Amino acid sequence: MNDEREGRVVIEEPAYTGFGFSDEEWGLLVGLPQSVLTAASAAESDGTKATMAEGAAGLETISGGRESASPLVAAVAGEIVTRVGDPEAGEELPVIEPPDPRGYAEDVLGRAKEASALLAAKVDEGEAGAYRHWLVEIAEQVVGAASTGGVLGLGGTEVSPSERRFRDRLAQVLND
């Protein structure tokens, strides 16, 4: 926002500059929660209804980050909700099914490792830990949102081995 005061133009800084991040670094941090949601959901092909339930659970967890005691998590969550919509207003994420779920998961894990190193270099451990834990919580909520297998939604397992493996590898990469 430009504001003319006494002949000077004041340019409002983006929120992320207060944390010391570049535009590219902020893009990594803001894009990662949705990527975690997508990778966790794609870890097991459960059908459209289950995938929609997983997406809703993930978006709800992302949105809930706005209430975090961590200013970083709250800022990232606010940015995501501004970009993709607020589940409290009935908005839903489009279902994204990567053509190569394993390759996508590996990419997400690589970006998570990169984000973890970035956070270690730029913010205190409390902020870094809150962000890392939030990512794992997103994966946890997504993989637990719909059972896999069974007939007509009965039986099946709450979390499949491939979903558990993704969640556990994410936690390992993030040291959470």
Side-chain angles (χ1 to χ4, degrees):
M1 169 189 259
N2 289 340
D3 182 19
E4 297 229 8
R5 292 185 194 147
E6 299 173 20
R8 294 180 302 185
V9 175
V10 178
I11 300 172
E12 192 174 300
E13 293 285 324
Y16 60 81
T17 58
F19 293 104
F21 295 114
S22 70
D23 187 47
E24 183 179 336
E25 292 166 338
W26 188 247
L28 170 67
L29 297 176
V30 170
L32 198 51
Q34 284 178 267
S35 296
V36 165
L37 185 164
T38 300
S41 180
E44 185 71 39
S45 180
D46 330 271
T48 305
K49 190 174 181 181
T51 301
M52 288 178 69
E54 291 169 343
L59 185 57
E60 194 67 41
T61 307
I62 289 170
S63 174
R66 294 178 295 176
E67 306 299 319
S68 175
S70 161
L72 175 62
V73 170
V76 170
E79 177 88 14
I80 295 168
V81 170
T82 298
R83 290 181 185 187
V84 302
D86 189 344
E88 292 175 13
E91 296 169 324
E92 297 177 3
L93 281 175
V95 174
I96 299 169
E97 296 186 36
D100 176 12
R102 283 191 180 156
Y104 188 81
E106 290 302 319
D107 176 65
V108 170
L109 292 168
R111 286 187 281 144
K113 189 173 195 165
E114 185 182 334
S116 190
L118 170 67
L119 292 168
K122 296 262 186 168
V123 298
D124 68 49
E125 180 50 38
E127 289 294 328
Y131 181 86
R132 291 190 312 259
H133 181 74
W134 181 52
L135 290 180
V136 174
E137 181 65 21
I138 292 165
E140 182 73 35
Q141 292 302 313
V142 169
V143 301
S147 61
T148 300
V151 179
L152 299 175
L154 302 172
T157 57
E158 186 71 25
V159 179
S160 75
S162 58
E163 291 171 328
R164 185 177 298 110
R165 194 167 32 257
F166 174 75
R167 181 201 56 210
D168 292 349
R169 287 188 65 209
L170 179 66
Q172 183 180 26
V173 162
L174 296 172
N175 296 315
D176 185 68

Coordinates of all heavy atoms in Angstrom, one line a residue, residues 36 38-46 54 101-102 105-106 109 139-140 142-144 146-149 157-170:
V36 N 2.2 -31.0 1.7 CA 2.1 -32.1 2.7 C 0.7 -32.7 2.7 O 0.6 -33.9 2.7 CB 2.5 -31.5 4.1 CG1 2.1 -32.5 5.2 CG2 4.0 -31.2 4.2
T38 N -1.4 -32.8 0.2 CA -1.6 -33.5 -1.1 C -0.8 -34.8 -1.0 O -1.3 -35.9 -1.4 CB -1.1 -32.7 -2.3 OG1 -1.9 -31.5 -2.3 CG2 -1.2 -33.4 -3.6
A39 N 0.5 -34.8 -0.6 CA 1.3 -36.0 -0.5 C 0.7 -37.0 0.5 O 0.7 -38.2 0.2 CB 2.7 -35.6 -0.1
A40 N 0.3 -36.5 1.6 CA -0.3 -37.5 2.6 C -1.6 -38.1 2.0 O -1.8 -39.3 2.2 CB -0.6 -36.7 3.9
S41 N -2.4 -37.3 1.4 CA -3.6 -37.8 0.8 C -3.3 -38.8 -0.3 O -4.0 -39.8 -0.5 CB -4.5 -36.7 0.3 OG -5.7 -37.2 -0.3
A42 N -2.3 -38.5 -1.2 CA -2.0 -39.4 -2.3 C -1.2 -40.6 -1.9 O -1.0 -41.5 -2.8 CB -1.2 -38.6 -3.3
A43 N -0.8 -40.7 -0.7 CA 0.0 -41.9 -0.2 C -0.8 -43.2 -0.4 O -0.2 -44.2 -0.6 CB 0.5 -41.7 1.2
E44 N -2.1 -43.1 -0.3 CA -3.0 -44.2 -0.5 C -4.2 -43.8 -1.4 O -4.8 -42.8 -1.1 CB -3.5 -44.7 0.8 CG -4.3 -46.0 0.8 CD -3.5 -47.2 0.5 OE1 -2.3 -47.3 0.9 OE2 -4.0 -48.1 -0.3
S45 N -4.4 -44.5 -2.4 CA -5.5 -44.2 -3.3 C -6.8 -44.8 -2.6 O -7.0 -46.0 -2.6 CB -5.3 -44.8 -4.7 OG -6.4 -44.5 -5.5
D46 N -7.6 -43.9 -2.0 CA -8.8 -44.3 -1.3 C -10.1 -44.0 -1.9 O -11.1 -44.1 -1.3 CB -8.9 -43.7 0.1 CG -7.6 -43.3 0.8 OD1 -7.1 -44.1 1.5 OD2 -7.2 -42.1 0.6
E54 N -10.1 -36.2 3.4 CA -8.7 -36.0 3.7 C -8.3 -34.5 3.4 O -7.7 -33.8 4.3 CB -7.7 -36.9 3.0 CG -7.9 -38.4 3.4 CD -7.1 -39.3 2.5 OE1 -6.8 -39.0 1.4 OE2 -6.9 -40.5 3.0
P101 N 2.5 -40.4 -7.2 CA 2.4 -40.1 -5.8 C 3.7 -40.3 -5.1 O 4.1 -39.5 -4.2 CB 1.4 -41.0 -5.3 CG 0.5 -41.3 -6.5 CD 1.5 -41.3 -7.7
R102 N 4.5 -41.3 -5.4 CA 5.8 -41.6 -4.7 C 6.8 -40.5 -5.0 O 7.5 -40.0 -4.2 CB 6.3 -42.9 -5.1 CG 5.6 -44.1 -4.3 CD 6.4 -45.4 -4.5 NE 5.7 -46.4 -3.8 CZ 5.8 -47.7 -4.1 NH1 6.5 -48.1 -5.1 NH2 5.1 -48.6 -3.4
A105 N 5.8 -37.4 -3.2 CA 6.1 -37.5 -1.8 C 7.6 -37.2 -1.6 O 8.0 -36.5 -0.6 CB 5.7 -38.8 -1.2
E106 N 8.4 -37.8 -2.4 CA 9.9 -37.5 -2.3 C 10.2 -36.1 -2.5 O 11.1 -35.5 -1.7 CB 10.7 -38.4 -3.3 CG 10.6 -39.9 -3.0 CD 11.2 -40.2 -1.6 OE1 12.2 -39.7 -1.2 OE2 10.6 -41.1 -1.0
L109 N 9.2 -34.3 0.7 CA 10.1 -34.5 1.8 C 11.4 -33.7 1.6 O 12.0 -33.2 2.6 CB 10.4 -36.0 1.9 CG 9.2 -36.9 2.3 CD1 9.5 -38.4 2.1 CD2 8.8 -36.6 3.8
A139 N -0.2 -33.7 8.2 CA -0.1 -35.1 7.7 C -0.9 -36.0 8.5 O -1.6 -36.9 8.0 CB 1.4 -35.5 7.6
E140 N -0.8 -35.9 9.8 CA -1.5 -36.8 10.8 C -3.0 -36.7 10.6 O -3.7 -37.7 10.5 CB -1.1 -36.4 12.2 CG -1.7 -37.3 13.3 CD -1.1 -38.7 13.4 OE1 0.1 -38.8 13.1 OE2 -1.8 -39.6 13.6
V142 N -4.6 -35.6 7.9 CA -5.0 -36.1 6.6 C -5.1 -37.6 6.6 O -6.1 -38.2 6.1 CB -4.0 -35.6 5.5 CG1 -4.3 -36.3 4.2 CG2 -4.2 -34.1 5.4
V143 N -4.0 -38.3 7.0 CA -4.0 -39.8 6.9 C -5.0 -40.4 7.9 O -5.4 -41.5 7.6 CB -2.6 -40.4 7.2 CG1 -1.6 -39.8 6.2 CG2 -2.1 -40.2 8.6
G144 N -5.4 -39.7 8.9 CA -6.4 -40.3 9.8 C -7.8 -39.9 9.5 O -8.8 -40.3 10.2
A146 N -9.8 -40.7 6.8 CA -10.6 -41.7 6.2 C -10.0 -43.0 6.3 O -8.8 -43.1 6.1 CB -10.8 -41.3 4.7
S147 N -10.8 -44.0 6.5 CA -10.2 -45.4 6.6 C -9.9 -45.9 5.2 O -10.6 -45.5 4.2 CB -11.1 -46.3 7.4 OG -12.3 -46.5 6.7
T148 N -9.0 -46.8 5.1 CA -8.6 -47.4 3.8 C -9.0 -48.9 3.8 O -8.9 -49.6 4.8 CB -7.1 -47.3 3.7 OG1 -6.7 -45.9 3.7 CG2 -6.6 -47.9 2.3
G149 N -9.5 -49.3 2.6 CA -9.9 -50.7 2.5 C -11.3 -50.9 3.1 O -12.1 -50.0 3.3
T157 N -8.5 -50.1 7.5 CA -7.6 -49.6 8.5 C -7.7 -48.1 8.5 O -7.9 -47.5 7.5 CB -6.2 -50.1 8.2 OG1 -5.8 -49.6 6.9 CG2 -6.0 -51.6 8.3
E158 N -7.5 -47.5 9.7 CA -7.6 -46.1 9.8 C -6.4 -45.4 9.1 O -6.6 -44.5 8.3 CB -7.5 -45.7 11.3 CG -7.7 -44.2 11.6 CD -9.1 -43.8 11.4 OE1 -10.0 -44.6 11.5 OE2 -9.2 -42.6 11.1
V159 N -5.2 -46.0 9.2 CA -4.1 -45.4 8.5 C -3.3 -46.6 7.8 O -2.9 -47.5 8.5 CB -3.1 -44.7 9.5 CG1 -1.9 -44.2 8.8 CG2 -3.8 -43.6 10.3
S160 N -3.2 -46.5 6.5 CA -2.6 -47.5 5.8 C -1.0 -47.5 6.0 O -0.5 -46.5 6.4 CB -2.9 -47.4 4.3 OG -2.1 -46.3 3.7
P161 N -0.4 -48.6 5.7 CA 1.1 -48.6 5.8 C 1.8 -47.5 5.0 O 2.7 -46.9 5.5 CB 1.5 -50.0 5.3 CG 0.3 -50.8 5.6 CD -0.9 -49.9 5.4
S162 N 1.3 -47.2 3.8 CA 1.9 -46.2 2.9 C 1.7 -44.8 3.5 O 2.5 -43.9 3.5 CB 1.5 -46.3 1.5 OG 0.1 -46.2 1.4
E163 N 0.5 -44.6 4.1 CA 0.2 -43.3 4.7 C 1.1 -43.1 6.0 O 1.7 -42.0 6.2 CB -1.3 -43.2 5.1 CG -2.2 -43.1 4.0 CD -3.7 -43.2 4.3 OE1 -4.0 -44.0 5.3 OE2 -4.5 -42.6 3.7
R164 N 1.2 -44.2 6.8 CA 2.0 -44.1 8.0 C 3.5 -43.8 7.6 O 4.1 -43.1 8.3 CB 1.9 -45.4 8.8 CG 2.6 -45.4 10.1 CD 2.4 -46.7 10.9 NE 1.0 -46.9 11.2 CZ 0.2 -47.9 10.7 NH1 0.7 -48.7 9.8 NH2 -1.0 -48.0 11.1
R165 N 3.9 -44.5 6.6 CA 5.3 -44.3 6.1 C 5.6 -42.9 5.7 O 6.6 -42.3 6.1 CB 5.6 -45.3 4.9 CG 7.0 -45.5 4.6 CD 7.3 -46.6 3.6 NE 6.3 -46.9 2.7 CZ 5.4 -48.0 2.7 NH1 5.5 -48.8 3.8 NH2 4.5 -48.2 1.8
F166 N 4.7 -42.3 5.0 CA 4.9 -40.9 4.6 C 4.9 -40.0 5.9 O 5.8 -39.1 6.0 CB 3.8 -40.3 3.7 CG 3.9 -38.9 3.4 CD1 4.9 -38.4 2.6 CD2 3.1 -37.9 4.0 CE1 5.1 -37.0 2.4 CE2 3.3 -36.6 3.9 CZ 4.3 -36.1 3.0
R167 N 3.9 -40.1 6.7 CA 3.9 -39.3 8.0 C 5.1 -39.5 8.8 O 5.7 -38.5 9.3 CB 2.6 -39.7 8.8 CG 2.5 -38.9 10.1 CD 1.6 -39.6 11.1 NE 2.1 -40.9 11.4 CZ 1.4 -42.0 11.8 NH1 0.1 -41.9 11.9 NH2 2.0 -43.1 12.0
D168 N 5.6 -40.7 9.0 CA 6.8 -41.0 9.8 C 8.0 -40.4 9.1 O 8.9 -39.9 9.8 CB 6.9 -42.5 10.0 CG 5.8 -43.1 10.9 OD1 5.1 -42.3 11.5 OD2 5.8 -44.3 11.0
R169 N 8.1 -40.5 7.8 CA 9.3 -40.0 7.1 C 9.3 -38.5 7.2 O 10.4 -37.9 7.3 CB 9.3 -40.4 5.6 CG 9.7 -41.9 5.5 CD 9.9 -42.3 4.1 NE 11.0 -41.7 3.5 CZ 11.1 -41.4 2.2 NH1 10.2 -41.8 1.4 NH2 12.2 -40.8 1.7
L170 N 8.1 -37.9 7.1 CA 8.0 -36.4 7.3 C 8.5 -36.0 8.6 O 9.3 -35.1 8.8 CB 6.6 -35.9 7.0 CG 6.4 -34.4 7.2 CD1 7.1 -33.6 6.1 CD2 4.9 -34.1 7.1

